């Protein structure tokens, strides 16, 4: 199986069976992100402890397969990380979708690297980055 098929399977799995699409009671942070271009609409919820570690993550909403998979993958990646580590991962993801990621960036992104081809599909960049932009807004609060 070639790498593109593996990446496609990762995206499909996170879209069809999202691990983090659930309700969270009393999140530390909760923020909506909307992509009016294609109708993606997500709400991120994070519980962050006093040390700045993201202890629990969740999302609600709807949208295309790329936005839903990207959100689920992102949450899987940032759970257990500090706010600073999550921001660093977000910046690496943004470099990746611009086609500027280093090998170190790609390695740090784990399953999120499955979305690298979005760099070649301008219409899908906003779908893939919606959750990441929303996360950056939360982390800058």
């Amino acid at each position: 199986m070639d790498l593109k098929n593996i990446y496609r399977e990762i995206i499909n799995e996170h879209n069809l069976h999202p691990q983090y699409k659930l309700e969270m009671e009393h999140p530390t942070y909760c923020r909506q992100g909307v992509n009016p271009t294609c109708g993606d609409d997500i709400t991120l919820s994070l519980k962050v402890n006093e040390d700045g570690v993201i202890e629990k993550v969740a999302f609600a909403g709807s949208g295309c397969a790329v936005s839903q998979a990207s959100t689920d993958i992102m949450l899987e990646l940032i759970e257990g990380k500090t706010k600073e580590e999550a921001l660093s991962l977000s910046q690496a993801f943004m470099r990746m979708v611009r086609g500027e990621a280093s090998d170190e960036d790609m390695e740090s992104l784990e399953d999120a690297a499955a979305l690298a081809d979005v760099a070649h599909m301008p219409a899908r960049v906003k779908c893939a980055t919606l959750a990441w932009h929303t996360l950056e807004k939360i982390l800058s609060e």
Side-chain angles (χ1 to χ4, degrees):
M1 180 177 286
D2 74 343
L3 198 54
K4 284 192 180 203
N5 283 337
I6 292 170
Y7 284 169
R8 202 170 295 122
E9 283 187 26
I10 291 169
I11 293 167
N12 282 337
E13 181 63 26
H14 280 277
N15 175 52
L16 296 173
H17 307 287
Q19 184 177 352
Y20 296 98
K21 193 170 190 176
L22 45 92
E23 296 295 320
M24 179 188 294
E25 290 188 23
H26 313 295
T28 310
Y29 300 99
C30 187
R31 185 161 190 128
Q32 182 181 24
V34 177
N35 176 3
T37 306
C38 70
D40 300 325
D41 185 349
I42 61 162
T43 300
L44 295 182
S45 298
L46 307 177
K47 279 192 182 178
V48 179
N49 70 20
E50 60 277 351
D51 296 324
V53 175
I54 301 166
E55 291 186 326
K56 191 171 181 183
V57 295
F59 80 102
S62 61
C64 69
V66 171
S67 74
Q68 299 296 284
S70 183
T71 303
D72 197 58
I73 290 168
M74 179 195 75
L75 292 176
E76 180 177 56
L77 191 58
I78 67 165
E79 188 174 45
K81 303 281 196 290
T82 65
K83 289 167 55 174
E84 293 78 16
E85 290 169 327
L87 183 58
S88 178
L89 288 166
S90 183
Q91 292 165 348
F93 187 84
M94 296 306 175
R95 285 190 295 274
M96 181 187 73
V97 297
R98 289 191 309 263
E100 302 168 358
S102 67
D103 290 341
E104 185 178 308
D105 287 336
M106 295 302 287
E107 188 174 318
S108 72
L109 290 171
E110 300 176 16
D111 278 0
L115 293 156
D117 277 348
V118 168
H120 307 295
M121 299 177 275
R124 290 299 193 196
V125 169
K126 287 184 180 181
C127 304
T129 59
L130 176 62
W132 298 86
H133 282 300
T134 306
L135 175 67
E136 288 180 350
K137 289 176 184 170
I138 286 172
L139 297 177
S140 67
E141 290 179 349

